[in-house]
Each structure stands twice: as structure tokens, then as C-alpha cells.
Amino acid sequence: MAKCLIESSLLLIPVLTIAESLAVIKKNIEMKFPVNDIITLLDERLEFNLAESTNKDLILSEIWDDEFSNELKNLKLEYGTSQGNKKLREKIGEKLNVDRNQIVITNGAAFGIFLSMLCLCEESEEVITVQPNFPPTMDLIEGLGFKRVLVKLHFEEEYRIDINKLFSQITNKTRLIILVSPLNPTGTIHTKEEILEISERLNIQYPNCRLIIDETYREATYGNNDIIPTYAGLRDNIITISSLSKCHGVPGLRIGWLQSSDKKFIEQVGIAKMNTIISNSVLDEFVALKVLNKEIEIFKNRKIHSIAGFELIKTWVEQNNELISWIEPKAGALCCIKLKEERFTKDNIEEFYTLSKAIGIQIANGEWFGESKRYFRLGFGYLELEKLELSLNKLSEILKKTTANKVQNGYSR
């Protein structure tokens, strides 16, 4: 669709200026997917990246050995299968304690959500998700032509979900509810009791509605903390989604998975996958299996790194508690920071972001996720610790400078 719009717009160049034609193209594309500055995480990488939410990037040498090398040399670069590599699905099935036939390998977690919407929803039907949230999860709903319903979560309530409020938004046209646990951008979680209550009430009141739990950050815990249990296999109306991107530090591999105990749905997903991307890259699936085979070692190193980063952030928040507040995350190498109302006006908030960018600090501002700029996501698992500490020190200086300017401009502290 977008390609057709671009081609038709370019035909106007003889009668419009190039700038005018590009404006037409931009307007048509925005009708499908709104512009969101989170794309700068891909295209504009600043030196001090506090915006990234992954664990530190895995390097191939961490999983490379003679067996890897020999198998890679003999890897046949054929088509993959619609559900994905059998051994990879078996390995994921072991992690989730479900049968491999309940799993479809996807191009990241986002594609699993895409396929679920595509298979479960018809035009004019509704998809509910929470706000704040990962932008593509929210924007994809309307982009595919479905009605988007957002349930607002609040910093002051520690982003907990009000189940009665959620159900007040559900109608007979609601086909899918998408929750994220741990939540991006806050690292907060939904409890098992909450998920069970939602699932059971759906079975009774709205049996045609499914519940997706995006568990992308589930295994990104700190220090000696146990990994959060999966919701896979908990109820037949629950679909779980995850990937290797965040916890394992391999977002460039583009390997995720979708799990459901509904055999017909899994079959539909496989067909939809074939009709969109054919299959995953067999090279990606090969490397993904090697990553999972060394998962214990990978997690051990990253949990040590993350707890050190977490402690740096916690200390930093305490040192600046007159200016900022936070909600302590339960998992995921990320947290949500709030610029306090009594210390930051709208102008000071803009200055905070401007000064940060000017010295190479990359911050994920709240507007990316459906919040205001008063809030921002701060990642603590991506940078090396020395660089993280340096970034936080620089950020402290900016916080103080912007509030100092506030006093000079005559605002009350």
C-alpha cells in the first residue's frame, strides 16, 4: 500500500515541487503509521546511549567455538519452515515447558504481535492495549485497520492495571488484549493473580477475546533474583510473545517466538507468516539456537552487569531526589524517571532534552510511549559501567543546570 502511494505521489513531480511531492508522500504514509522519534534509536546513535532498553550487545565470539564454526560452514542456506526450525522450537519449548508444536518462530516479538492481530481480528474489530507502551504495539493496531483502545496506566499508581477499568473498555467487538510484563518503558510487572483474573473473566464474559502477554523482558533480572515465571501454557486463551532481543542482547538477530495452545490458531499464524515473510532466515535460526545453548552463561554475565547498572541508577536517583522520582523496576534493564512538577516547567523540560542531546546523551522521552516529556525511559544494562556512570554524572549536571535556569527566569523552586 505504501509503495503504491509513493509511486502515485512521485507521478506528481512534474506539476509539484519535489518538496511538495515529498509532503504528499509523508502525509500518505502517516495515515498508516504515525511518525515516532523512537526510530532515532536505529538511525541516530549518540555516544552516551541511555535510551536503549536491551542488555549489552552479545558478540559472536561469546558463543563461537569449533562446533559452531564447523556447523556454520556446512549450513545449507535454504528456505526455513513456516513454524520455524524444529530444534529451535524444541529448545524454546523446554524453556516454557510447552510442546514445540505450540510455538512459531517470528521475526522478533513485534512480528508475533502483528501476526496475532492479522489472524484474530477483522476490520472494525477492536484491540486493547495499555499506555505507555512500546510504540509499534500501539501504532500497529490502527495501521492494520483495527480500532485501537488504550487503557491509560499512571506513574502515580506505579503503572498497575485496574482490571475493572480494563473490562469497562471491552465490548463484543474486542478480539485481542495486549499486556506487557515487565512493561516497557517502566520494568513493572503484572502479577499472576491479575493475569488469571483477566483470563477467567474473559472466558466467562468475552470468550471470543484473546489475551496476549508480551514477555520480552521476562528473563532480564538482576543479580541473584529469580527469572519471572512465564505465562505460557497457563490458560488456553493466553498467547505469549517473546524474543532474544532484550534479555540475551541480540536485537540484530531478529528472532522471537509466539506460543499458543490453540492448534488452529498456530496453523493460521504459520500460514500468515508464509504469506508475509515466507520464513525466518535459517542463518538467524541457527545462531539463535547457539545463543540458547549458552543461555546460562550469557544470563550470568548480563545479570552481574545489570545489577551493577541498577545500583548505579538507584544511587543516582537518590542523589537527585529533589529533582526527579522513579518507580523501581522489577525486571528489564530499564526504568521510568519523572521530572518533578515543582522543579520543571514545560520550557525547562525542553531545555533538559536539548542540553542532553547537545553533549551526546541519548534519552527515550515519554512521548515515544504515549506519556509526556516529563517522563523518560532510562536504560542501565546497555552501556559499559564506566560509561554509564559518566553519563549519569553528566545528566546530573544538566538536571541542576536546567533547574538553576528556572530560578534565574523567575520561577518558584
Side-chain angles (χ1 to χ4, degrees):
M1 180 64 176
K3 183 175 183 293
C4 295
L5 290 170
I6 291 172
E7 289 176 346
S8 63
S9 298
L10 289 175
L11 292 176
L12 299 176
I13 287 178
V15 293
L16 298 176
T17 67
I18 291 177
E20 289 170 333
S21 298
L22 289 174
V24 172
I25 295 170
K26 184 174 183 289
K27 181 179 179 181
N28 285 331
I29 292 175
E30 285 179 350
M31 290 172 64
K32 279 292 181 185
F33 297 103
V35 174
N36 190 303
D37 282 344
I38 199 170
I39 199 169
T40 59
L41 275 179
L42 299 179
D43 301 333
E44 184 183 293
R45 303 184 185 189
L46 303 184
E47 181 180 1
F48 304 104
N49 189 347
L50 296 176
E52 188 52 76
S53 63
T54 69
N55 278 333
K56 64 178 183 177
D57 294 331
L58 185 139
I59 301 171
L60 272 176
S61 61
E62 294 181 62
I63 59 172
W64 196 284
D65 54 25
D66 290 340
E67 181 184 9
F68 185 108
S69 180
N70 291 332
E71 290 183 17
L72 183 61
K73 285 189 291 186
N74 294 299
L75 181 66
K76 185 185 290 187
L77 298 179
E78 58 187 345
Y79 281 115
T81 64
S82 61
Q83 274 193 247
N85 181 283
K86 178 181 174 181
K87 289 183 178 179
L88 180 58
R89 287 187 292 118
E90 284 178 349
K91 191 70 177 179
I92 295 168
E94 290 173 10
K95 282 165 59 68
L96 304 180
N97 196 28
V98 299
D99 188 272
R100 70 168 185 266
N101 293 319
Q102 295 185 9
I103 295 167
V104 176
I105 305 301
T106 59
N107 192 287
F111 191 57
I113 294 173
F114 170 89
L115 291 173
S116 298
M117 290 188 203
L118 208 60
C119 293
L120 294 173
C121 305
E122 299 291 342
E123 188 176 0
S124 82
E125 291 183 332
E126 300 168 352
V127 178
I128 295 176
T129 192
V130 294
Q131 180 187 20
N133 201 343
F134 182 53
T137 298
M138 297 186 290
D139 296 340
L140 186 59
I141 299 169
E142 290 182 339
L144 289 176
F146 310 126
K147 181 180 177 181
R148 183 179 70 175
V149 179
L150 297 177
V151 176
K152 177 68 174 173
L153 306 181
H154 300 281
F155 182 93
E156 292 71 22
E157 298 169 358
E158 297 188 347
Y159 294 107
R160 291 189 300 267
I161 192 164
D162 183 327
I163 296 177
N164 289 327
K165 182 178 178 181
L166 170 65
F167 272 80
S168 72
Q169 302 278 64
I170 303 174
T171 73
N172 289 327
K173 288 189 174 183
T174 306
R175 291 293 172 266
L176 198 56
I177 298 169
I178 304 171
L179 301 180
V180 188
S181 186
L183 179 62
N184 178 9
T186 68
T188 52
I189 63 172
H190 299 303
T191 66
K192 182 177 180 180
E193 290 74 22
E194 288 173 333
I195 297 302
L196 285 173
E197 181 179 345
I198 293 169
S199 171
E200 290 167 3
R201 286 179 63 172
L202 286 177
N203 274 332
I204 296 169
Q205 298 174 243
Y206 301 98
N208 293 323
C209 180
R210 306 287 183 95
L211 174 62
I212 282 182
I213 310 293
D214 182 344
E215 301 184 327
T216 300
Y217 293 94
R218 178 180 69 86
E219 296 173 293
T221 52
Y222 327 125
N224 295 321
N225 293 350
D226 292 334
I227 288 174
I228 298 168
T230 179
Y231 292 116
L234 189 65
R235 290 287 187 273
D236 289 343
N237 63 350
I238 293 178
I239 300 163
T240 61
I241 304 280
S242 193
S243 80
L244 296 180
S245 296
K246 307 298 184 180
C247 307
H248 300 77
V250 286
L253 205 56
R254 307 313 309 141
I255 289 290
W257 55 87
L258 174 154
Q259 175 277 329
S260 172
S261 57
D262 184 334
K263 185 178 179 180
K264 184 177 180 181
F265 170 66
I266 288 294
E267 182 181 354
Q268 290 174 334
V269 168
I271 293 170
K273 177 182 168 184
M274 188 271 172
N275 279 278
T276 48
I277 65 166
I278 310 297
S279 66
N280 285 86
S281 156
V282 294
L283 179 57
D284 284 0
E285 291 184 334
F286 168 81
V287 179
L289 182 57
K290 296 300 181 182
V291 169
L292 289 179
N293 285 340
K294 294 199 173 183
E295 180 180 75
I296 294 175
E297 182 180 345
I298 291 169
F299 280 169
K300 179 182 178 182
N301 293 333
R302 276 150 185 78
K303 287 177 78 170
I304 293 170
H305 182 79
S306 291
I307 190 62
F310 173 79
E311 293 298 337
L312 282 175
I313 294 292
K314 190 171 184 178
T315 299
W316 176 77
V317 171
E318 291 169 355
Q319 291 171 343
N320 293 280
N321 62 9
E322 291 186 1
L323 309 176
I324 60 174
S325 58
W326 76 328
I327 297 170
E328 189 171 316
K330 303 300 181 184
L334 73 172
C335 62
C336 184
I337 305 293
K338 178 182 179 180
L339 301 170
K340 289 188 173 181
E341 288 94 341
E342 61 269 25
R343 303 305 297 272
F344 287 87
T345 66
K346 183 178 179 180
D347 289 343
N348 294 110
I349 291 171
E350 290 296 335
E351 185 181 15
F352 168 76
Y353 286 107
T354 299
L355 292 178
S356 298
K357 185 175 181 179
I359 64 169
I361 296 179
Q362 197 158 10
I363 299 174
N365 86 70
E367 287 187 344
W368 295 4
F369 309 97
E371 273 283 16
S372 75
K373 283 188 173 181
R374 184 171 295 283
Y375 306 87
F376 61 92
R377 184 181 75 185
L378 196 155
F380 53 81
Y382 183 69
L383 291 178
E384 294 298 334
L385 296 175
E386 184 177 339
K387 203 164 194 176
L388 174 60
E389 187 171 17
L390 177 60
S391 302
L392 293 174
N393 290 336
K394 289 177 178 290
L395 206 58
S396 292
E397 294 174 7
I398 293 171
L399 285 170
K400 292 169 185 175
K401 182 175 182 179
T402 50
T403 50
N405 289 350
K406 179 176 176 179
V407 173
Q408 293 168 12
N409 290 334
Y411 293 107
S412 170
R413 291 176 67 91

